[in-house]
Amino acid sequence: MGAGQFSGSGPFDLRALGFSLVRVDSPAVLPIVVLAVAVVGTWAERLMGGARTLLAYAGGGLVTSAVGMTVGVIETKVIPALPLGEIPVTGASPVAALVAVAMAASCFEGALWRRRVRVFCVVLAVTLFLYAASASDLHALIALPIGLAMGMLTGGHRVSRRGLGRSSHHETRVLLSALTAITAVGPIVATLWGSGAGLLSAYGWLSYDPLVFAGRVICALGSTSSPCPVAETYEEVQPNAGLIAVLPLVVLLVAAWGILRGRRGALGVAIGLNLIVFAGMTAVFVTAEPGTLALLAQVRGTDAQYVWQTLVGLIVAAVVPLAVATSLFACRRAVAAPSTTRAWAVFLSTVSIAAGGTMALYAASALAAADDFSPRQTTWSVLRDAPLRLLPPSLLPAEWITDVPRTPFAQVLWYLPSIIFWAVCVWATVRLILGAHSVRGLEDRLRARELVHRGCSSLGFMTTWPGNEYWFAADADAAFAYRVQGRVAVTLGGAFGADRNRADVARAFAEFCGDNGWTPVFYSVDNAATEALKELHWQKTRVADEATLDPRTWTPVGKKRQDIRTAANRAHRENVRAQWVSWAELTLIDRVQLREISEEWVTDKAIPEMGFTLGTLDEAVDPAARLMLARDATDRIVAVTTWIPIFDADGVVGYALDVMRRRHDAMNGVMEFVIGAVVERLRDERCTVLSLSGSPLAPHRVEKTADLPAVDRLLEVLSGVIEPAYGFRSLANFKKKFQPEFTPLWIIYPESVHLPAIALALLRCYIPGLTIAGAARLAGRIRRPARP
């Protein structure tokens, strides 16, 4: 949709430019524009008021129009050979003005929606400009920085020094999935809405059949007869080649969905397909001949400028999939569920068999019908062209085609192999992502879950989270969850299962690590597990203290628990209520609110979202987990805590705190109120334990720092460095308000000489993929918030 022509006193006539902001080209699109104005305008007015919204629409639209027409003059005079799109000769359309409004309003949103709105606007504008390249698309692109500047100048949030801000793993997957989906949808945009002059107009596959041009080019280069017999015969039976080209796009869309679900296999498929497109576009650029392109320009009825625009477009078209593949690989840590070796083997063998089978089918059939092609097929030409038959015909450059089918049977041979091959690729991708046993370690995790139900510590349920490996005792009902970093195997807590406290279980696991050349480290183990490990005579260091309550006897009575009573009274006055639910019981709106609260929390941190013994909202999806929410008088969620079950032989005996997140504008004391409500709930359910979990590197000590051993003093220093970024000490002090019972959690290791390697291994457990250089940069980011 572009702005209509208008008359005025000059190219910068304000009256005419303003008129373009309320005008559309076609009555058919008017309802869509009106709906968009209503939705975006209502949302923006709620965030920044009517005056700012009107200023962003009118002012942003006028500035966008002026800049757009200036860009058009520069494009015409300076860079006419580049395929930048249609030259703006009118003012900006309502769509561009709405983009300016959305970008301005995003400055008044919270972290999650601020990023989502900006990413959506940028992706929409850039995609339309690169693939479609109409004048309206150029105006939408220009409106992005103009709207952002207007939002900041009128009092909104300024752009963070970290750009879009830090994202949670879930939000990163959302963005990666959107990027992959846009890669798939782009060619459709280039085909349906393209002006034919965009930088990525080379992706306008779906309306292009190379035979249309190849037959004429072959005739023009090698035939003197008129009319050309080749150009006449194939048009009698001609399927829609563009529909075949949709199949690779379907593969990308399936991969995008798998990335959203955290499937590493889907990420691999998306990276691989983008690299294939990059290699293909590079090959097209290398083999493209300006003389052939000039001849194609004559066939298509375009001018000589087509040659240079095509060459520049091919360069950009090759860079884009490479950039997408690089981005997916760089953010792979957020997509953490790896596929099994067997699933990959089935996928690769299926694709290979499909490729080999379709090429063999084509070769045998083409040789049998050699006379049905012009020029006549030979053994060499068939073998040479067989790999090209795997590509959808509309992806083949016309200059690559040396012979064309003349009969309906030959046309079937031309189109059918690619249909079969890519249909099989779609099926194989779906199977790789959705197969019942396609995720590595799933069976072991299910087995571990059964053992957890027969007995575990407060950390035991964390062993069922993705990312862990498992060792199962051969002659006992027990297991360890661990992660290997370098040559160090770090356990997540102690053993779990009915026989978890048997000394021979821990000794057998240590021997298993030794057989594999690993240094075993028992991390965050409680006193019971420490007793089982005592006969190893290893060293131990206190790394945290677990705060526990007995719901049956705990009450908020007493001077030291005054804050809990005050929070409960204030919640009653302000109509804040608590709700105990599972994730499945939440509505879609509730889940969106929880993601928003969590994203605000992650954005405020100087370090990435951590894992291992620190959960996220992703783990709250588990049916066994519970959430205690705080809702205000308008039923809006203002705080959330998540709780994981603790089991013994009789079943669930209590819950352990995992995630605590709240809105910035929530009432003071909302977390005290929420946890107090959990105590009452567990009392009603006759649970015997409520764990507020441990605060890493913040043990509850009574000794002076100077009296501690050297290792403990080192941990105290490290705790002080990390405190500004993650607040473990503040969290420990918060838990003291409930006057819980503190029990130590230990790390047990063979010798002090292993401590440097153990420290790096622990960091990589919490932040997978962390390098030494990355740790140094992380330390720099941690220290900055501590400066006044």
Side-chain angles (χ1 to χ4, degrees):
M1 175 177 60
Q5 298 283 350
F6 60 87
S7 60
S9 59
F12 293 98
D13 184 350
L14 291 179
R15 180 176 60 84
L17 293 180
F19 182 63
S20 70
L21 298 177
V22 294
R23 180 175 179 175
V24 295
D25 283 342
S26 171
V29 300
L30 182 60
I32 300 176
V33 173
V34 170
L35 179 62
V37 169
V39 173
V40 176
T42 302
W43 166 70
E45 193 276 336
R46 178 180 60 83
L47 288 173
M48 59 181 183
R52 289 192 182 100
T53 302
L54 183 60
L55 176 63
Y57 188 91
L62 290 174
V63 175
T64 298
S65 298
V67 175
M69 298 184 74
T70 303
V71 170
V73 172
I74 295 174
E75 182 181 350
T76 303
K77 301 295 183 181
V78 181
I79 50 175
L82 292 183
L84 295 181
E86 292 180 349
I87 298 174
V89 294
T90 64
S93 69
V95 172
L98 285 177
V99 170
V101 171
M103 291 297 290
S106 71
C107 296
F108 296 85
E109 265 286 15
L112 175 63
W113 287 103
R114 182 164 66 244
R115 175 171 51 243
R116 285 187 173 180
V117 169
R118 291 175 181 175
V119 169
F120 175 79
C121 289
V122 170
V123 168
L124 176 66
V126 171
T127 300
L128 290 175
F129 176 72
L130 291 178
Y131 287 103
S134 69
S136 178
D137 301 328
L138 176 60
H139 282 134
L141 189 67
I142 295 171
L144 292 172
I146 292 174
L148 186 62
M150 296 190 71
M152 291 188 294
L153 291 175
T154 54
H157 295 284
R158 295 191 175 275
V159 177
S160 169
R161 288 185 299 176
R162 295 193 294 267
L164 290 174
R166 191 173 302 285
S167 299
S168 66
H169 297 324
H170 178 271
E171 185 66 11
T172 301
R173 291 197 301 271
V174 170
L175 299 179
L176 293 178
S177 178
L179 178 64
T180 306
I182 288 297
T183 305
V185 174
I188 300 176
V189 175
T191 300
L192 299 182
W193 292 285
S195 65
L199 285 170
L200 295 183
S201 58
Y203 284 107
W205 301 325
L206 306 183
S207 62
Y208 167 65
D209 193 327
L211 292 181
V212 175
F213 307 103
R216 296 173 184 171
V217 171
I218 290 172
C219 290
L221 293 175
S223 176
T224 58
S225 61
S226 182
C228 178
V230 176
E232 296 174 352
T233 53
Y234 71 89
E235 294 179 354
E236 296 177 1
V237 180
Q238 182 177 220
N240 190 336
L243 295 180
I244 305 175
V246 169
L247 291 175
L249 307 183
V250 173
V251 173
L252 275 180
L253 289 175
V254 173
W257 184 65
I259 291 172
L260 185 62
R261 298 186 61 192
R263 298 290 190 264
R264 184 67 65 87
L267 188 75
V269 170
I271 292 174
L273 198 50
N274 275 285
L275 290 178
I276 290 173
V277 174
F278 163 70
M281 286 297 179
T282 302
V284 172
F285 174 78
V286 171
T287 59
E289 299 179 4
T292 306
L293 291 176
L295 185 57
L296 283 173
Q298 295 177 11
V299 172
R300 295 181 176 183
T302 57
D303 54 25
Q305 195 179 51
Y306 166 82
V307 176
W308 302 109
Q309 290 183 342
T310 301
L311 292 175
V312 173
L314 287 175
I315 294 175
V316 178
V319 170
V320 168
L322 178 62
V324 171
T326 303
S327 300
L328 294 175
F329 180 79
C331 299
R332 64 192 181 280
R333 188 169 68 88
V335 187
S339 298
T340 63
T341 303
R342 181 177 180 276
W344 271 116
V346 170
F347 173 80
L348 294 175
S349 61
T350 301
V351 172
S352 300
I353 292 172
T358 51
M359 285 193 292
L361 174 65
Y362 169 78
S365 303
L367 288 174
D371 294 331
D372 292 351
F373 293 83
S374 181
R376 187 181 187 277
Q377 291 276 44
T378 64
T379 302
W380 164 244
S381 65
V382 168
L383 294 178
R384 179 196 61 201
D385 293 345
L388 297 180
R389 296 289 79 79
L390 298 180
L391 296 175
S394 59
L395 303 186
L396 287 173
E399 56 268 26
W400 285 14
I401 300 173
T402 57
D403 45 62
V404 293
R406 299 180 55 190
T407 66
F409 178 74
Q411 287 190 358
V412 170
L413 293 181
W414 179 276
Y415 293 105
L416 186 60
S418 59
I419 296 176
I420 296 175
F421 174 70
W422 284 103
V424 172
C425 286
V426 172
W427 176 77
T429 303
V430 172
R431 184 175 180 181
L432 173 67
I433 296 172
L434 298 181
H437 302 287
S438 62
V439 179
R440 187 188 307 168
L442 179 61
E443 294 181 356
D444 283 348
R445 192 155 67 244
L446 293 176
R447 181 181 174 187
R449 192 183 184 95
E450 295 178 359
L451 287 176
V452 166
H453 281 239
R454 292 199 281 272
C456 65
S457 67
S458 60
L459 299 182
F461 196 78
M462 296 179 181
T463 63
T464 65
W465 294 349
N468 298 312
E469 298 183 58
Y470 300 96
W471 172 86
F472 297 95
D475 55 355
D477 190 32
F480 276 99
Y482 65 95
R483 301 188 184 192
V484 178
Q485 300 292 343
R487 305 305 301 172
V488 179
V490 183
T491 70
L492 200 168
F496 52 90
D499 300 327
R500 61 188 182 278
N501 291 325
R502 279 175 43 176
D504 58 328
V505 171
R507 185 171 58 252
F509 175 75
E511 293 173 355
F512 162 76
C513 292
D515 293 341
N516 286 277
W518 303 331
T519 299
V521 174
F522 298 90
Y523 179 69
S524 285
V525 296
D526 56 20
N527 287 330
T530 303
E531 287 296 319
L533 293 165
K534 184 177 293 185
E535 66 178 56
L536 294 176
H537 303 292
W538 286 0
Q539 301 194 40
K540 68 176 183 177
T541 299
R542 192 172 180 177
V543 292
D545 279 293
E546 182 181 10
T548 58
L549 308 172
D550 187 340
R552 298 170 299 179
T553 59
W554 187 90
T555 64
V557 177
K559 181 178 180 180
K560 294 183 178 181
R561 297 174 183 173
Q562 176 64 42
D563 289 346
I564 290 61
R565 296 196 301 274
T566 301
N569 293 333
R570 181 173 180 180
H572 179 73
R573 290 195 307 270
E574 297 185 11
N575 293 321
V576 176
R577 63 184 178 88
Q579 183 183 16
W580 181 255
V581 295
S582 66
W583 185 268
E585 296 172 314
L586 297 173
T587 65
L588 177 61
I589 295 176
D590 291 339
R591 296 177 185 181
V592 170
Q593 290 187 67
L594 293 181
R595 294 292 182 191
E596 182 179 2
I597 295 171
S598 180
E599 208 62 31
E600 288 275 4
W601 184 86
V602 173
T603 302
D604 287 342
K605 299 301 176 185
I607 57 180
E609 189 174 33
M610 302 172 75
F612 198 38
T613 63
L614 300 173
T616 66
L617 281 184
D618 289 344
E619 286 75 35
V621 175
D622 193 296
R626 290 293 181 269
L627 300 91
M628 181 62 85
L629 311 177
R631 295 181 181 271
D632 63 13
T634 64
D635 209 38
R636 184 183 65 141
I637 299 175
V638 294
V640 56
T641 57
T642 66
W643 302 80
I644 56 176
I646 304 172
F647 296 92
D648 70 2
D650 297 325
V652 177
V653 295
Y655 285 86
L657 176 63
D658 182 20
V659 172
M660 281 199 310
R661 308 275 162 90
R662 53 163 287 172
R663 293 187 188 273
H664 291 305
D665 59 352
M667 75 169 200
N668 291 332
V670 68
M671 280 303 173
E672 290 88 339
F673 163 69
V674 167
I675 294 177
V678 174
V679 175
E680 295 179 3
R681 177 73 188 199
L682 297 191
R683 183 185 300 121
D684 294 340
E685 295 185 2
R686 298 184 179 180
C687 292
T688 59
V689 59
L690 181 150
S691 172
L692 297 178
S693 301
S695 302
L697 300 178
H700 179 65
R701 302 186 188 276
V702 295
E703 310 96 325
K704 295 181 180 179
T705 302
D707 299 332
L708 295 173
V711 173
D712 295 81
R713 291 200 302 271
L714 177 62
L715 292 178
E716 285 286 317
V717 173
L718 181 60
S719 174
V721 172
I722 295 179
E723 177 62 23
Y726 226 88
F728 289 134
R729 289 182 176 180
S730 301
L731 180 60
N733 290 332
F734 167 80
K735 294 174 182 178
K736 291 177 183 178
K737 294 181 180 182
F738 296 87
Q739 294 298 296
E741 179 182 350
F742 288 99
T743 55
L745 296 177
W746 306 90
I747 179 172
I748 300 177
Y749 49 94
E751 298 177 279
S752 297
V753 70
H754 297 298
L755 281 175
I758 292 172
L760 184 59
L762 283 172
L763 277 175
R764 288 174 173 170
C765 286
Y766 282 104
I767 309 176
L770 184 68
T771 62
I772 295 178
R777 291 193 298 270
L778 183 62
R781 288 200 298 268
I782 290 173
R783 291 181 64 183
R784 279 195 294 270
R787 297 174 183 173

